[in-house]
Amino acid sequence: MTDRPTAVVTGASSGIGAATARALARSGFHVVLGARRVDLCAEIAAQIDGTALRLDVTDAESVTAFAAAIPQASLLVNNAGGAKGLEPVADADEDAWRWMFETNVIGTLRVTKALLPALIASGDGYIITVTSIAALEPYDNGAGYTGAKHAQAMLHRTLRGELLGQPVRLTEILPGMVETDFSLVRFDGDAEKAANVYKGITPLTADDVADVIAFAATRPSHVNLDQIVLKPRAQANAMRAYRES
Ligand code: 8X3
């Protein structure tokens, strides 16, 4: 057992999730890292005195078992999610859309529902959901992802009202371009396509986003940062960025 408050991070095996687990541990949390690649979570957990648990947010039984192994928690970071494909609606791949809605939307719903009783019972609960600037506006070829991120954001933002009167804060983190394996997953492992996304730009790093999450998580209990949008200096919005040639 630990007297540190417990933070649960989904999608914690890499990228923003892994960086967030480290940043929260530095801020004094006992971090439970959940992801399908539990071996990677275990490596990080060993370094930060945390706990690694297998979690597949697309599998209801996995989420139930995950939550059952977490008797108490005061912070949940809904980070698991991602994009698959970048095609016009006319060419949309239904399986890719299904995956995006299942991971970003239903996955967030499942984990949030499963951990909400513990968060409320903590007396000072907190839900941070990593959506995206894709939750702010449409962009060409991105409807599957922007649609899923808008739906995930609605779930999160609706809770802000529904949980009024309960001891639970809610922060939505909306990152723009962050160099992680996000684009590699989006382009099905095509490293050249993924690298082109960040060409001529200094993108955010996973640590940049994690710093902001840790900042939010360490404000006093009466302070609720509702939404934080963060982008590289060179990015104005999802459709517009300045690239050095
Ligand atoms: C990732 C940001 O602009 O590729 O969530 O949608 S973007």
Side-chain angles (χ1 to χ4, degrees):
M1 282 309 285
T2 167
D3 51 12
R4 293 171 289 165
T6 293
V8 178
V9 181
T10 70
S13 57
S14 66
I16 293 172
T20 297
R22 293 182 193 281
L24 291 175
R26 283 195 298 273
S27 299
F29 286 90
H30 166 242
V31 181
V32 177
L33 299 95
R36 278 170 307 170
R37 294 178 294 176
V38 72
D39 49 327
L40 294 176
C41 290
E43 277 176 32
I44 301 166
Q47 292 161 10
I48 64 173
D49 193 16
T51 302
L53 294 175
R54 192 179 184 281
L55 171 67
D56 178 354
V57 300
T58 68
D59 175 352
E61 279 179 23
S62 171
V63 174
T64 302
F66 178 76
I70 303 171
Q72 51 190 37
S74 55
L75 170 60
L76 165 63
V77 181
N78 284 312
N79 167 72
K84 270 204 199 295
L86 193 66
E87 292 96 20
V89 171
D91 299 326
D93 179 315
E94 283 187 23
D95 287 337
W97 277 57
R98 230 171 257 118
W99 183 88
M100 287 188 275
F101 277 79
E102 190 65 38
T103 53
N104 294 285
V105 187
I106 308 297
T108 298
L109 175 64
R110 278 195 189 108
V111 177
T112 302
K113 276 180 75 179
L115 288 176
L116 195 51
L119 296 170
I120 293 173
S122 77
D124 190 13
Y126 198 160
I127 299 170
I128 296 180
T129 303
V130 181
T131 65
S132 167
I133 58 168
L136 293 176
E137 56 184 341
Y139 61 79
D140 295 355
N141 307 323
Y145 183 62
T146 56
K149 282 296 181 186
H150 275 72
Q152 182 194 31
M154 283 306 130
L155 181 173
H156 173 93
R157 292 175 206 166
T158 299
L159 281 172
R160 181 79 173 96
E162 288 179 355
L163 292 179
L164 280 178
Q166 299 284 0
V168 181
R169 285 180 285 162
L170 284 124
T171 297
E172 181 185 354
I173 304 284
L174 303 94
M177 254 183 225
V178 187
E179 190 161 17
T180 60
D181 60 8
F182 172 85
S183 291
L184 206 59
V185 172
R186 166 170 257 179
F187 298 123
D188 209 16
D190 186 328
E192 199 183 328
K193 258 190 178 173
N196 274 338
V197 173
Y198 313 108
K199 205 168 178 184
I201 283 182
T202 304
L204 299 177
T205 65
D207 285 327
D208 293 329
V209 182
D211 280 350
V212 171
I213 291 173
F215 173 81
T218 50
R219 293 312 89 203
S221 301
H222 67 288
V223 177
N224 197 102
L225 295 167
D226 279 40
Q227 288 185 320
I228 304 175
V229 182
L230 61 160
K231 291 174 285 192
R233 186 176 61 194
Q235 184 180 29
N237 56 48
M239 294 285 276
R240 209 162 154 229
Y242 174 79
R243 293 176 196 273
E244 305 274 356
S245 46

